[in-house]
Amino acid sequence: MIPIANPRIDRKEKQSVLEVMDSGMLASGSYVNEFENNFSSYIGTEYGIATTSGTTGLHVALKAAGIEEGDKVLTTPFTFIASSNSILYCGAEPVFVDVRPDTFNIDPEKMREKLKEDPDIQAVVIVHLYGLACDMDPIMEIVDEYNLILVEDSAQAHGAVYKGKKVGTFGDTAAFSFYPTKNMTTGEGGMVLTDDQEIVETARLLIQHGSPERYKHEILGYNYRMTNIAAAIGLRQLEKLPDFNQKRKENACFLTENLKELDWLETPYVPDDREHVFHQYTVKVENRDQFISYLEENEIGYGIYYPRPAYKQPLYKKLGYDFYELPVSESLCQQVVSLPVHPALSKGDLEKIVEVVKKFNK
Ligand SMILES: *Cc1c(COP(=O)(O)O)cnc(C)c1O
């Protein structure tokens, strides 16, 4: 079986974890500070606040950016559930708009239509899905025109670039995830990035029970602090991230070169102004059910990201969101399949994937 994800941990991560164990500083500690500094400077922001996960990072990012109870927040339904759940955590209301069929990302035209309809919308959470940056020029124009708070869910896009600028540097704040399937990992973990002094101060309070000093609690906060053990893994992974991303790009390039002629399968679209970091290599096919059983029979791992739009999840139905009908998202949910693209693939694995896919008898 060629797995859909395969995190690469070697001697360096193990050595660093042992150092933390020996130091006795298992929770907060110097590795956390160093990881915050190194990751934020790699992406290109002033500050980084390490968290327990991408989800808790998003929660903190939204709250620190000023999203409050009753606010309306534009977002995409074609993403992992954490994107819109983080809006619910704030007591705010996700307002779903459709995505573009080519990039799978939020459609700026649809954002504009929604904003004209509903002038109460205060914020937007964009998602750079599969490692491809959103359409940032038109989005920034809309954000300025309507004076919106912008949060970037960058959980799948460590190092992705739009016109020379890395994602995570466009919004008021951004959140990254270091879950084991992501482009780099800390086990569980996340990071909030920002250039804004007020956001960083609030975010720091939120992740440690609203506490600026021991046993003084100014606001209602949480325990969302990353451990020193996780940060030690993250530091070593960050050193490898450029190589990991390079390998992902090369693997994607090989797959596209060999699959682009198939008339029943659509390979990923990469606009010229963007560097895709291929968290996922996602193709569109018409008869997906047969295709995935065929992949299973031939021991090729795959993933379906995502089988239903957020508003069709049982939770969102219960909350009354199932009046939405966003045709592009709904049809993508029926068509997408992700093939292995991770850096641990061998040349032989890639050749096997191509050979098997090409032989599929639709
Ligand atoms: C992985 C992911 C998250 C959440 O990250 P966790 O670390 O798993 O909590 C949020 N948004 C998107 C788009 C993701 O892919």
Side-chain angles (χ1 to χ4, degrees):
M1 186 71 166
I2 302 176
I4 182 74
N6 187 0
R8 302 184 80 181
I9 298 291
D10 68 26
R11 215 167 29 84
K12 288 196 171 150
E13 284 84 354
K14 292 175 189 168
Q15 189 55 45
S16 291
V17 168
L18 285 177
E19 282 166 25
V20 175
M21 301 272 181
D22 290 337
S23 77
M25 302 294 286
L26 303 184
S28 299
S30 61
Y31 288 85
V32 177
N33 306 334
E34 196 182 337
F35 184 44
E36 290 174 339
N37 290 336
N38 292 6
F39 190 76
S40 58
S41 56
Y42 173 74
I43 300 293
T45 61
E46 199 73 35
Y47 310 104
I49 305 101
T51 58
T52 49
S53 71
T55 303
T56 57
L58 268 177
H59 181 195
V60 164
L62 268 67
K63 257 187 119 74
I67 294 172
E68 296 176 335
E69 187 144 2
D71 285 355
K72 292 181 176 179
V73 185
L74 278 185
T75 196
T76 161
F78 188 60
T79 174
F80 182 55
I81 201 66
S83 311
S84 52
N85 277 2
S86 63
I87 299 170
L88 296 179
Y89 299 153
C90 298
E93 179 191 331
V95 176
F96 294 109
V97 294
D98 216 348
V99 296
R100 288 177 53 112
D102 52 359
T103 61
F104 311 109
N105 282 329
I106 197 162
D107 186 338
E109 293 296 314
K110 302 279 164 57
M111 287 173 63
R112 205 173 264 288
E113 280 167 26
K114 204 61 172 184
L115 286 158
K116 280 188 187 141
E117 247 171 63
D118 190 346
D120 283 346
I121 294 165
Q122 293 96 341
V124 52
V125 175
I126 59 170
V127 182
H128 306 292
L129 200 72
Y130 306 146
L132 179 66
C134 292
D135 230 336
M136 292 316 301
D137 279 352
I139 290 173
M140 294 314 288
E141 209 172 283
I142 293 168
V143 163
D144 288 343
E145 194 178 322
Y146 288 86
N147 200 16
L148 302 172
I149 296 169
L150 174 62
V151 180
E152 296 176 75
D153 179 343
S154 306
Q156 303 188 356
H158 319 66
V161 174
Y162 178 88
K163 296 192 179 171
K165 200 164 136 66
K166 288 203 182 83
V167 309
T169 62
F170 290 89
D172 295 285
T173 174
F176 287 78
S177 163
F178 306 118
Y179 189 72
T181 58
K182 305 291 160 98
N183 292 41
M184 58 172 283
T185 187
T186 61
E188 295 276 8
M191 183 98 66
V192 177
L193 298 185
T194 186
D195 287 331
D196 187 311
Q197 184 86 42
E198 268 179 56
I199 291 179
V200 72
E201 281 169 16
T202 310
R204 287 245 172 260
L205 286 179
L206 285 169
I207 69 162
Q208 48 189 352
H209 282 302
S211 180
E213 59 188 79
R214 203 170 256 248
Y215 304 128
K216 179 181 174 200
H217 304 278
E218 289 183 342
I219 59 171
L220 180 64
Y222 312 87
N223 175 359
Y224 284 172
R225 298 181 305 264
M226 179 178 276
T227 66
N228 219 18
I229 300 170
I233 301 171
L235 277 166
R236 304 288 84 83
Q237 287 271 303
L238 179 58
E239 291 163 357
K240 300 176 186 174
L241 180 65
D243 286 343
F244 285 165
N245 282 346
Q246 183 57 32
K247 197 82 201 334
R248 285 177 181 273
K249 286 181 222 176
E250 286 167 19
N251 293 348
C253 188
F254 180 86
L255 293 171
T256 294
E257 268 315 300
N258 286 282
L259 301 176
K260 66 181 181 202
E261 303 302 339
L262 300 174
D263 60 2
W264 52 272
L265 174 149
E266 202 177 309
T267 54
Y269 167 61
V270 187
D272 288 340
D273 55 9
R274 277 161 250 195
E275 277 173 47
H276 199 318
V277 291
F278 287 101
H279 167 59
Q280 297 296 347
Y281 182 89
T282 304
V283 300
K284 290 193 257 180
V285 295
E286 287 304 333
N287 39 2
R288 187 177 65 188
D289 287 347
Q290 281 157 273
F291 184 58
I292 62 179
S293 344
Y294 170 79
L295 291 175
E296 256 163 53
E297 281 160 29
N298 287 280
E299 305 200 306
I300 309 282
Y302 66 88
I304 294 176
Y305 311 112
Y306 294 87
R308 56 179 69 84
Y311 57 82
K312 287 205 168 172
Q313 290 291 350
L315 166 68
Y316 285 77
K317 285 191 182 174
K318 274 185 243 162
L319 295 173
Y321 287 94
D322 54 343
F323 62 88
Y324 279 101
E325 278 176 34
L326 301 176
V328 178
S329 298
E330 289 182 23
S331 79
L332 289 175
C333 287
Q334 304 300 318
Q335 295 177 331
V336 291
V337 188
S338 303
L339 298 171
V341 73
H342 56 79
L345 294 173
S346 67
K347 187 91 173 77
D349 293 334
L350 287 161
E351 279 162 0
K352 181 176 171 196
I353 295 166
V354 163
E355 187 191 306
V356 167
V357 171
K358 274 177 147 175
K359 278 197 200 132
F360 176 59
N361 192 345
K362 45 149 192 160

